[in-house]
Amino acid sequence: SLAVRLIRAVNSYDPRKGYLEEYILSQLKREMVRIRSTQAVYGLTQAPANIGSTIVPLTIAAQRESYWETYIAV
């Protein structure tokens, strides 16, 4: 995704707004923040910002509770 953001940054660059290097760096930093976001990590488009602590992988759920299938069925 950083490579795609880099290509888009170069294509959308306007020399009247500053240096190319600064623009590219700011675009890549924005992409890094987006990559770390809940939406990118969990693939949830309407996820609240703090949902990361409430999501448990199924492998961990199975280790914690023998009836984990009933929890995800609800």
Side-chain angles (χ1 to χ4, degrees):
S1 60
L2 287 174
V4 171
R5 186 72 174 234
L6 173 64
I7 293 168
R8 288 182 179 165
V10 171
N11 286 337
S12 65
Y13 172 66
D14 182 4
R16 295 174 289 173
K17 293 186 177 181
Y19 294 109
L20 176 63
E21 293 85 7
E22 291 175 1
Y23 181 71
I24 288 174
L25 284 176
S26 69
Q27 291 298 309
L28 293 178
K29 285 178 184 178
R30 288 181 186 179
E31 186 63 20
M32 293 291 287
V33 169
R34 192 199 66 77
I35 289 171
R36 292 181 189 154
S37 74
T38 303
Q39 292 179 354
V41 172
Y42 298 108
L44 304 171
T45 57
Q46 299 297 321
N50 61 352
I51 198 167
S53 61
T54 61
I55 294 177
V56 178
L58 293 179
T59 54
I60 293 174
Q63 292 171 359
R64 290 184 186 169
E65 180 64 49
S66 59
Y67 299 106
W68 64 272
E69 292 96 344
T70 59
Y71 293 114
I72 63 171
V74 175

